[in-house]
Amino acid sequence: MKRILFTISFLLTVFGRPAYAQRHSNAVGISVGTLTLRMLDQQASPLRYRGTIRPVFGLRYGHASDRSRFNLRLSGGAGSMNPERFGSRSYATPFPDGKTFTYDVSSVFYSATIEADYLRRVNSPDNATGNLWVGGALQESMWYADEVANFPWVMNTATVAPVVQYDYPFQPRHTLTLRVDLAVFGLITRAIYANFPKSTDDTNVGAYFKQGTRTATINKLGNVNVQLGYGFRVNSRISLGAFYRVRYLSYPLPRPIRAVSSTLSLESEVRF
């Protein structure tokens, strides 16, 4: 009888522990949000353009321990992009027979990003005031619009960046996060000076990337991401969060471009 009572007590102790005592190293997350892009690409047009995507969808896989974190993220969506001054507009062309041909100018806008990062904890895991992480990130991002000054517009970047992230747990289940990364090296693809690449061996797309891709370092490529996030741990397996991310991009060749994108998203995460 004593052995039975001891066994029951032991099982209740093991399986009756609070859920937060369990540890789960892997996580998958989904997110949905909005993206806004404002850019001035002097190679493409003297006008400022504004692009909007609603919604932007994202997927994330993560693996974490007390000392390290690995994340793989995918995100993308489709929307529209038009000049800030004119917006979507129509043109009409009359013909000698009196008929009129009318067409609309409103650019479809696509955005896609893939990112992988690895972070290591700098301070002790027992630090109650916050957690500081440092590491690096690989990111490839593409923006495409089919009518910027009536021509297709492509901006693709593949970058390597150091990352600093600080997590501040201000309540047992609530955490604020600040993350900054700055690209130090990358490949950037955009239109060449003549706008139209010419090749007898490559397709138009192949020639565009072959002739328009350049290596870039921090002295010319400005690529900064700043992210502010809030997370709420529902239990040991499920978390909810909200994130705001701003990206600044600049490059001088063949003519200067400056762009700022902002993303606001909600994310849910399941650990296993």
Side-chain angles (χ1 to χ4, degrees), residues 95-148:
F95 290 104
D97 59 3
K99 295 181 179 180
T100 301
F101 175 71
T102 302
Y103 63 97
D104 296 326
V105 178
S106 180
S107 180
V108 178
F109 174 45
Y110 299 95
S111 174
T113 300
I114 179 171
E115 180 181 20
D117 64 55
Y118 178 77
L119 305 177
R120 294 284 296 180
R121 187 194 297 267
V122 175
N123 57 345
S124 170
D126 299 325
N127 191 336
T129 61
N131 302 309
L132 180 62
W133 306 80
V134 297
L138 301 175
Q139 182 188 85
E140 181 163 6
S141 176
M142 175 178 282
W143 295 326
Y144 171 79
D146 62 352
E147 290 185 7
V148 173

Side-chain angles (χ1 to χ4, degrees), residues 170 173-177 228-233 240-244:
F170 61 96
R173 294 189 177 188
H174 303 264
T175 303
L176 290 177
T177 298
L228 179 64
Y230 163 76
F232 171 69
R233 180 171 54 82
L240 304 175
F243 299 89
Y244 180 70

Side-chain angles (χ1 to χ4, degrees), residues 72-107:
L72 178 63
R73 300 179 180 87
L74 300 171
S75 63
S80 62
M81 185 162 70
N82 294 291
E84 289 186 342
R85 182 177 179 183
F86 301 107
S88 177
R89 58 211 188 277
S90 299
Y91 285 98
T93 301
F95 290 104
D97 59 3
K99 295 181 179 180
T100 301
F101 175 71
T102 302
Y103 63 97
D104 296 326
V105 178
S106 180
S107 180

Side-chain angles (χ1 to χ4, degrees), residues 20-38:
Y20 57 78
Q22 303 177 23
R23 301 188 61 85
H24 307 285
S25 299
N26 300 293
V28 292
I30 58 174
S31 63
V32 60
T34 64
L35 181 147
T36 301
L37 170 68
R38 289 180 171 87

